[in-house]
Amino acid sequence: MIKLHSPLEIKPDPRGGWQLVFWTGNAFDYATSFRALLDDITQALGQEAQHDLQLPPYEVGEDFVEGTLRFGSSSLRIYYEHSLSYLALMCDRARVLQDVADRLRASVQVV
């Protein structure tokens, strides 16, 4: 189960395109494992995590991390930060993010 503090939200990405935002915890809570959350997202989408999720090597105290997740024929940009405790999947096409959100809704619990 993917536990979030607010419902999934698609909004404009300040750098262009769109973003699907996952609010997960309290600001500066380094106990939040965004990597585990990304594994849960990847599994819920029916993707092969070892082939579809690309992140830099883990660093203690990591923050402002960028990566990619392949979803079907699309490549989603990933960004997460502990400072504001959120993860975003970004794409130029809102429809792709809507497809992701629709597939994830059954696996999301707002707490």
Side-chain angles (χ1 to χ4, degrees):
M1 185 61 60
I2 298 169
K3 295 184 180 183
L4 302 178
H5 287 278
S6 68
L8 292 172
E9 173 185 19
I10 297 174
K11 61 184 192 172
D13 181 354
R15 293 174 276 172
W18 299 91
Q19 60 182 340
L20 176 60
V21 181
F22 301 77
W23 294 101
T24 60
N26 298 317
F28 297 102
D29 181 2
Y30 286 92
T32 300
S33 176
F34 288 107
R35 290 175 182 264
L37 174 60
L38 281 165
D39 285 341
D40 291 345
I41 290 169
T42 301
Q43 290 177 5
L45 291 173
Q47 306 296 301
E48 296 285 335
Q50 64 272 24
H51 301 293
D52 296 312
L53 179 60
Q54 301 292 320
L55 293 172
Y58 175 77
E59 293 181 18
V60 174
E62 68 181 5
D63 211 354
F64 312 109
V65 176
E66 296 181 8
T68 58
L69 171 64
R70 198 170 53 245
F71 174 66
S73 62
S74 299
S75 182
L76 307 176
R77 298 180 309 278
I78 297 170
Y79 175 79
Y80 64 83
E81 66 175 77
H82 288 281
S83 303
L84 295 176
S85 196
Y86 81 98
L87 178 144
L89 299 178
M90 297 158 289
C91 185
D92 294 334
R93 295 173 292 157
R95 183 71 216 147
V96 171
L97 293 177
Q98 187 61 56
D99 289 346
V100 169
D102 291 346
R103 288 181 184 224
L104 293 178
R105 286 199 203 289
S107 300
V108 169
Q109 177 185 17
V110 178
V111 292

Coordinates of all heavy atoms in Angstrom, one line a residue, residues 15-77:
R15 N 9.1 23.7 -14.5 CA 10.1 23.6 -15.6 C 9.5 23.2 -16.9 O 10.3 22.9 -17.9 CB 11.2 22.6 -15.1 CG 12.0 23.1 -13.9 CD 12.9 22.1 -13.4 NE 12.2 21.2 -12.5 CZ 12.6 20.1 -12.0 NH1 13.8 19.7 -12.3 NH2 11.8 19.4 -11.2
G16 N 8.2 23.1 -17.0 CA 7.6 22.8 -18.3 C 7.0 21.4 -18.2 O 7.5 20.5 -17.5
G17 N 5.8 21.2 -18.8 CA 5.1 19.9 -18.8 C 4.3 19.8 -17.5 O 3.7 20.8 -17.1
W18 N 4.1 18.6 -17.0 CA 3.2 18.3 -15.9 C 3.9 17.4 -14.9 O 4.9 16.8 -15.2 CB 2.0 17.5 -16.5 CG 1.3 18.4 -17.5 CD1 1.4 18.4 -18.8 CD2 0.3 19.3 -17.2 NE1 0.6 19.3 -19.4 CE2 -0.1 19.9 -18.4 CE3 -0.3 19.8 -16.0 CZ2 -1.1 20.9 -18.5 CZ3 -1.3 20.8 -16.1 CH2 -1.7 21.3 -17.3
Q19 N 3.4 17.4 -13.7 CA 3.9 16.6 -12.6 C 2.8 15.9 -11.8 O 1.8 16.5 -11.6 CB 4.9 17.3 -11.7 CG 4.3 18.5 -11.0 CD 5.3 19.3 -10.2 OE1 6.3 18.7 -9.8 NE2 5.0 20.5 -9.8
L20 N 3.0 14.7 -11.4 CA 2.1 13.9 -10.5 C 2.8 13.9 -9.2 O 4.0 13.4 -9.1 CB 1.9 12.5 -11.1 CG 1.1 11.6 -10.2 CD1 -0.3 12.1 -10.0 CD2 1.1 10.2 -10.8
V21 N 2.2 14.5 -8.2 CA 2.9 14.8 -6.9 C 2.4 13.8 -5.8 O 1.2 13.6 -5.7 CB 2.6 16.2 -6.4 CG1 3.3 16.5 -5.1 CG2 3.1 17.2 -7.5
F22 N 3.3 13.3 -5.1 CA 3.1 12.3 -4.0 C 3.6 13.0 -2.7 O 4.8 13.1 -2.5 CB 3.8 11.0 -4.2 CG 3.5 10.3 -5.4 CD1 4.0 10.7 -6.6 CD2 2.7 9.2 -5.4 CE1 3.7 10.0 -7.8 CE2 2.4 8.4 -6.5 CZ 2.9 8.9 -7.7
W23 N 2.7 13.5 -1.8 CA 3.0 14.1 -0.5 C 3.1 13.0 0.5 O 2.1 12.3 0.7 CB 2.0 15.2 -0.1 CG 2.1 16.3 -1.0 CD1 1.2 16.6 -2.0 CD2 3.1 17.4 -1.1 NE1 1.6 17.8 -2.7 CE2 2.7 18.3 -2.1 CE3 4.2 17.7 -0.3 CZ2 3.5 19.4 -2.4 CZ3 4.9 18.8 -0.7 CH2 4.6 19.6 -1.7
T24 N 4.3 12.7 1.1 CA 4.4 11.5 1.8 C 4.7 11.7 3.3 O 4.5 10.7 4.1 CB 5.6 10.7 1.3 OG1 6.8 11.5 1.4 CG2 5.4 10.4 -0.2
G25 N 5.1 12.8 3.8 CA 5.4 12.9 5.2 C 5.6 14.3 5.7 O 5.1 15.2 5.1
N26 N 6.4 14.4 6.7 CA 6.7 15.7 7.3 C 8.0 16.2 6.7 O 8.9 15.5 6.4 CB 6.8 15.6 8.8 CG 5.5 15.2 9.4 OD1 4.5 15.7 9.0 ND2 5.6 14.3 10.4
A27 N 8.1 17.5 6.6 CA 9.3 18.2 6.0 C 10.6 17.7 6.8 O 10.5 17.6 8.1 CB 9.2 19.7 6.1
F28 N 11.6 17.5 6.1 CA 12.9 17.1 6.7 C 12.9 15.7 7.4 O 13.7 15.5 8.3 CB 13.5 18.2 7.6 CG 13.8 19.4 6.9 CD1 12.9 20.5 7.0 CD2 14.9 19.5 6.1 CE1 13.2 21.7 6.3 CE2 15.2 20.7 5.4 CZ 14.3 21.8 5.5
D29 N 11.9 14.9 7.1 CA 11.8 13.6 7.7 C 12.6 12.6 6.9 O 12.1 12.1 5.9 CB 10.4 13.1 7.9 CG 10.3 11.7 8.5 OD1 11.3 11.2 8.9 OD2 9.1 11.3 8.6
Y30 N 13.9 12.4 7.3 CA 14.8 11.5 6.5 C 14.4 10.0 6.7 O 15.0 9.2 6.1 CB 16.2 11.8 6.8 CG 16.7 13.1 6.2 CD1 16.6 14.3 6.9 CD2 17.2 13.1 4.9 CE1 17.0 15.4 6.3 CE2 17.5 14.3 4.3 CZ 17.5 15.4 5.0 OH 17.8 16.6 4.5
A31 N 13.4 9.7 7.6 CA 13.0 8.3 7.7 C 12.1 7.9 6.6 O 11.9 6.7 6.3 CB 12.3 8.1 9.0
T32 N 11.6 8.9 5.8 CA 10.8 8.6 4.6 C 11.7 8.0 3.6 O 12.6 8.6 3.2 CB 10.1 9.9 4.1 OG1 9.3 10.4 5.1 CG2 9.3 9.5 2.9
S33 N 11.3 6.8 3.1 CA 12.1 6.1 2.1 C 11.5 6.3 0.7 O 10.6 5.6 0.4 CB 12.3 4.6 2.4 OG 13.0 4.0 1.3
F34 N 12.0 7.3 0.0 CA 11.5 7.5 -1.3 C 11.8 6.4 -2.2 O 11.1 6.1 -3.2 CB 11.9 8.9 -1.9 CG 11.3 10.0 -1.2 CD1 12.0 10.8 -0.3 CD2 10.0 10.4 -1.4 CE1 11.4 11.9 0.4 CE2 9.4 11.4 -0.8 CZ 10.1 12.2 0.1
R35 N 13.0 5.8 -2.0 CA 13.4 4.6 -2.8 C 12.4 3.5 -2.7 O 12.0 2.8 -3.7 CB 14.8 4.2 -2.5 CG 15.8 5.3 -3.0 CD 17.2 4.9 -2.7 NE 18.1 6.0 -3.1 CZ 18.8 6.0 -4.3 NH1 18.7 4.9 -5.0 NH2 19.6 7.0 -4.6
A36 N 12.0 3.2 -1.5 CA 11.0 2.1 -1.2 C 9.6 2.5 -1.9 O 9.0 1.7 -2.5 CB 10.8 1.9 0.3
L37 N 9.3 3.8 -1.8 CA 8.0 4.3 -2.4 C 8.1 4.1 -3.9 O 7.1 3.7 -4.5 CB 7.8 5.8 -2.0 CG 6.6 6.5 -2.7 CD1 5.3 5.8 -2.4 CD2 6.6 7.9 -2.3
L38 N 9.2 4.4 -4.5 CA 9.4 4.3 -5.9 C 9.3 2.8 -6.3 O 8.7 2.4 -7.4 CB 10.7 4.9 -6.4 CG 10.7 6.4 -6.6 CD1 12.1 6.9 -6.7 CD2 9.8 6.8 -7.8
D39 N 9.8 1.9 -5.5 CA 9.7 0.5 -5.8 C 8.2 0.1 -5.7 O 7.8 -0.7 -6.6 CB 10.5 -0.4 -4.7 CG 12.0 -0.3 -5.0 OD1 12.4 0.0 -6.1 OD2 12.7 -0.7 -4.1
D40 N 7.5 0.6 -4.7 CA 6.0 0.3 -4.6 C 5.3 0.8 -5.9 O 4.4 0.1 -6.4 CB 5.4 0.9 -3.4 CG 5.9 0.2 -2.1 OD1 6.5 -0.9 -2.2 OD2 5.7 0.9 -1.0
I41 N 5.6 2.0 -6.3 CA 5.0 2.6 -7.5 C 5.3 1.8 -8.7 O 4.4 1.4 -9.5 CB 5.5 4.1 -7.7 CG1 4.9 5.0 -6.6 CG2 5.1 4.6 -9.1 CD1 5.5 6.3 -6.5
T42 N 6.6 1.4 -8.8 CA 7.0 0.6 -10.0 C 6.2 -0.7 -10.0 O 5.7 -1.2 -11.1 CB 8.5 0.3 -10.0 OG1 9.1 1.6 -10.0 CG2 9.0 -0.5 -11.1
Q43 N 6.1 -1.4 -8.9 CA 5.4 -2.7 -8.8 C 3.9 -2.5 -9.1 O 3.3 -3.3 -9.8 CB 5.6 -3.3 -7.4 CG 7.0 -3.8 -7.2 CD 7.2 -4.4 -5.9 OE1 6.3 -4.5 -5.1 NE2 8.4 -4.8 -5.6
A44 N 3.3 -1.4 -8.5 CA 1.9 -1.2 -8.8 C 1.6 -0.9 -10.2 O 0.5 -1.2 -10.7 CB 1.4 0.0 -7.9
L45 N 2.6 -0.3 -10.9 CA 2.4 0.0 -12.4 C 2.6 -1.3 -13.2 O 2.4 -1.3 -14.4 CB 3.3 1.1 -12.8 CG 3.0 2.5 -12.3 CD1 4.1 3.4 -12.7 CD2 1.7 2.9 -12.8
G46 N 3.1 -2.4 -12.6 CA 3.4 -3.6 -13.3 C 4.7 -3.5 -14.1 O 4.8 -4.2 -15.1
Q47 N 5.6 -2.7 -13.6 CA 6.9 -2.5 -14.3 C 7.9 -3.4 -13.7 O 7.8 -3.8 -12.5 CB 7.3 -1.0 -14.3 CG 6.3 0.0 -14.8 CD 6.0 -0.2 -16.2 OE1 6.9 -0.1 -17.1 NE2 4.8 -0.5 -16.6
E48 N 9.0 -3.6 -14.4 CA 10.1 -4.4 -13.8 C 11.1 -3.4 -13.2 O 11.8 -2.6 -13.9 CB 10.9 -5.2 -14.9 CG 10.0 -6.2 -15.6 CD 9.9 -7.4 -14.7 OE1 10.8 -7.7 -13.8 OE2 8.9 -8.2 -14.8
A49 N 11.1 -3.3 -11.9 CA 11.9 -2.3 -11.2 C 13.4 -2.3 -11.6 O 14.0 -1.2 -11.8 CB 11.8 -2.5 -9.7
Q50 N 14.0 -3.4 -11.8 CA 15.4 -3.5 -12.1 C 15.7 -2.9 -13.5 O 16.8 -2.6 -13.8 CB 16.0 -4.9 -11.9 CG 15.4 -5.9 -12.8 CD 14.2 -6.6 -12.3 OE1 13.5 -6.1 -11.5 NE2 13.9 -7.8 -12.8
H51 N 14.7 -2.9 -14.4 CA 14.9 -2.4 -15.7 C 14.3 -1.0 -15.9 O 14.8 -0.3 -16.8 CB 14.3 -3.4 -16.7 CG 14.9 -4.7 -16.6 ND1 16.2 -5.0 -17.0 CD2 14.3 -5.9 -16.2 CE1 16.4 -6.3 -16.8 NE2 15.3 -6.9 -16.3
D52 N 13.3 -0.7 -15.2 CA 12.6 0.5 -15.5 C 12.8 1.7 -14.6 O 12.4 2.8 -14.9 CB 11.1 0.2 -15.5 CG 10.7 -0.8 -16.5 OD1 11.1 -0.6 -17.7 OD2 10.0 -1.7 -16.2
L53 N 13.4 1.5 -13.5 CA 13.7 2.6 -12.5 C 15.2 2.9 -12.5 O 16.0 2.0 -12.2 CB 13.2 2.1 -11.1 CG 13.4 3.1 -10.0 CD1 12.7 4.4 -10.2 CD2 12.9 2.4 -8.7
Q54 N 15.5 4.1 -12.8 CA 16.9 4.5 -12.8 C 17.1 5.7 -11.8 O 16.5 6.7 -11.9 CB 17.3 5.0 -14.2 CG 17.1 4.0 -15.3 CD 18.1 2.9 -15.1 OE1 19.3 3.1 -14.8 NE2 17.7 1.7 -15.4
L55 N 18.0 5.4 -10.7 CA 18.3 6.4 -9.7 C 19.8 6.4 -9.5 O 20.5 5.4 -9.7 CB 17.6 6.0 -8.4 CG 16.1 6.1 -8.3 CD1 15.6 5.5 -7.0 CD2 15.6 7.5 -8.5
P56 N 20.3 7.5 -9.1 CA 21.8 7.5 -8.7 C 22.0 6.6 -7.5 O 21.1 6.3 -6.8 CB 22.1 9.0 -8.4 CG 20.8 9.6 -8.1 CD 19.7 8.8 -8.8
P57 N 23.2 6.2 -7.3 CA 23.5 5.4 -6.1 C 23.1 6.1 -4.8 O 23.2 7.4 -4.7 CB 25.1 5.3 -6.1 CG 25.5 5.5 -7.5 CD 24.4 6.5 -8.1
Y58 N 22.6 5.4 -3.8 CA 22.2 5.9 -2.6 C 23.3 6.6 -1.9 O 24.5 6.1 -1.8 CB 21.6 4.8 -1.7 CG 21.2 5.3 -0.3 CD1 20.1 6.0 -0.1 CD2 22.1 5.1 0.8 CE1 19.7 6.5 1.1 CE2 21.7 5.5 2.0 CZ 20.6 6.3 2.2 OH 20.2 6.7 3.4
E59 N 23.0 7.8 -1.3 CA 23.9 8.5 -0.4 C 23.2 8.8 0.9 O 22.1 9.2 0.9 CB 24.4 9.8 -1.0 CG 25.2 9.6 -2.3 CD 25.6 11.0 -2.9 OE1 25.6 12.0 -2.2 OE2 26.0 11.0 -4.0
V60 N 23.9 8.6 2.0 CA 23.4 8.9 3.3 C 23.0 10.4 3.3 O 23.8 11.3 2.9 CB 24.4 8.6 4.5 CG1 23.8 9.1 5.8 CG2 24.7 7.1 4.5
G61 N 21.8 10.7 3.8 CA 21.3 12.1 3.9 C 21.0 12.7 2.5 O 20.9 13.9 2.4
E62 N 20.7 11.8 1.5 CA 20.4 12.3 0.2 C 19.2 13.2 0.2 O 18.3 13.0 0.9 CB 20.3 11.2 -0.8 CG 19.1 10.3 -0.6 CD 19.0 9.1 -1.6 OE1 19.9 8.9 -2.4 OE2 18.0 8.4 -1.6
D63 N 19.2 14.1 -0.7 CA 18.1 15.1 -0.9 C 18.2 15.6 -2.3 O 19.2 15.6 -3.0 CB 18.2 16.2 0.1 CG 16.8 16.7 0.5 OD1 15.8 16.3 -0.1 OD2 16.8 17.6 1.4
F64 N 17.1 16.1 -2.9 CA 17.0 16.6 -4.2 C 17.5 15.6 -5.2 O 18.4 15.9 -6.0 CB 17.8 17.9 -4.3 CG 17.5 18.9 -3.2 CD1 18.5 19.1 -2.2 CD2 16.3 19.5 -3.1 CE1 18.2 20.0 -1.1 CE2 16.0 20.4 -2.1 CZ 17.0 20.7 -1.1
V65 N 16.9 14.4 -5.2 CA 17.3 13.3 -6.1 C 16.5 13.3 -7.4 O 15.3 13.5 -7.3 CB 17.2 12.0 -5.3 CG1 17.6 10.8 -6.2 CG2 18.1 12.0 -4.1
E66 N 17.2 13.1 -8.5 CA 16.5 13.0 -9.8 C 16.8 11.6 -10.4 O 17.9 11.0 -10.2 CB 17.0 14.1 -10.7 CG 16.7 15.5 -10.2 CD 17.2 16.6 -11.2 OE1 17.6 16.3 -12.3 OE2 17.1 17.7 -10.8
G67 N 15.9 11.1 -11.2 CA 16.0 9.8 -11.9 C 15.0 9.7 -13.0 O 14.4 10.7 -13.3
T68 N 14.8 8.5 -13.4 CA 13.8 8.2 -14.5 C 13.1 6.9 -14.2 O 13.6 6.0 -13.6 CB 14.4 8.2 -15.9 OG1 15.4 7.1 -15.9 CG2 15.0 9.5 -16.3
L69 N 11.9 6.9 -14.7 CA 11.0 5.7 -14.6 C 10.4 5.5 -16.0 O 9.7 6.4 -16.5 CB 10.0 5.8 -13.5 CG 8.9 4.7 -13.5 CD1 9.5 3.3 -13.1 CD2 7.8 5.0 -12.5
R70 N 10.6 4.3 -16.6 CA 10.0 4.1 -17.9 C 8.6 3.5 -17.6 O 8.5 2.6 -16.8 CB 10.9 3.1 -18.7 CG 10.5 3.1 -20.1 CD 11.5 2.3 -21.0 NE 11.7 0.9 -20.5 CZ 12.9 0.5 -20.0 NH1 13.9 1.2 -19.9 NH2 13.0 -0.8 -19.6
F71 N 7.6 4.1 -18.3 CA 6.2 3.6 -18.1 C 5.7 3.4 -19.6 O 5.5 4.4 -20.3 CB 5.4 4.6 -17.4 CG 4.0 4.3 -17.3 CD1 3.5 3.2 -16.6 CD2 3.0 5.1 -18.0 CE1 2.2 2.9 -16.6 CE2 1.7 4.8 -17.9 CZ 1.2 3.7 -17.2
G72 N 5.6 2.2 -19.9 CA 5.2 1.9 -21.3 C 6.2 2.4 -22.3 O 7.4 2.2 -22.1
S73 N 5.8 3.3 -23.2 CA 6.8 3.8 -24.1 C 7.3 5.2 -23.7 O 8.0 5.9 -24.4 CB 6.2 3.9 -25.5 OG 5.0 4.8 -25.5
S74 N 6.8 5.7 -22.5 CA 7.2 7.0 -22.0 C 8.3 6.9 -20.9 O 8.3 5.9 -20.2 CB 6.0 7.7 -21.4 OG 4.9 7.8 -22.3
S75 N 9.1 7.9 -20.9 CA 10.1 8.0 -19.8 C 9.6 9.2 -18.9 O 9.5 10.3 -19.3 CB 11.4 8.3 -20.5 OG 12.4 8.4 -19.5
L76 N 9.4 8.8 -17.6 CA 9.0 9.8 -16.6 C 10.2 10.3 -15.9 O 11.1 9.5 -15.5 CB 8.0 9.2 -15.7 CG 6.8 8.5 -16.3 CD1 5.9 7.9 -15.2 CD2 6.0 9.5 -17.1
R77 N 10.3 11.6 -15.7 CA 11.4 12.1 -14.8 C 10.9 12.0 -13.4 O 9.7 12.2 -13.1 CB 11.6 13.6 -15.2 CG 12.1 13.8 -16.6 CD 12.4 15.3 -17.0 NE 11.3 16.2 -16.7 CZ 10.2 16.4 -17.5 NH1 10.1 15.7 -18.6 NH2 9.3 17.3 -17.1

